[in-house]
Amino acid sequence: GIVVTEVERGSAAYEHGLRAGDIILAVNRTEIESVSQFNRIVAGKKGSRIFITLNRGGRELFVRFSVPE
């Protein structure tokens, strides 16, 4: 997984519930191993919805996220 280090208030990520300290484990059930892999997957989904599996404080959460175009 990858650690979210910063989320700008008012950003799409913030509005969808991502927070600093979250650990992104998977996108659309694909395990995330690096920031470049995450960026590549998200870039290919612009204008679509993705599902992010994350760990926050030891709890696994699922976030549905609309990727801006």
Side-chain angles (χ1 to χ4, degrees):
I2 58 172
V3 178
V4 177
T5 58
E6 183 179 356
V7 181
E8 186 177 324
R9 281 190 181 271
S11 68
Y14 185 87
E15 296 301 321
H16 285 88
L18 291 177
R19 299 294 181 262
D22 287 349
I23 301 169
I24 297 174
L25 303 173
V27 175
N28 292 345
R29 299 186 183 185
T30 299
E31 194 171 311
I32 299 299
E33 298 178 3
S34 69
V35 173
S36 60
Q37 177 196 24
F38 174 81
N39 289 338
R40 208 171 34 253
I41 291 171
V42 172
K45 299 292 184 183
K46 289 184 178 180
S48 300
R49 282 189 173 163
I50 60 173
F51 293 92
I52 297 175
T53 306
L54 60 90
N55 180 298
R56 177 181 295 156
R59 292 185 344 173
E60 194 169 279
L61 303 172
F62 303 93
V63 177
R64 184 170 34 187
F65 187 92
S66 297
V67 180
E69 290 194 36

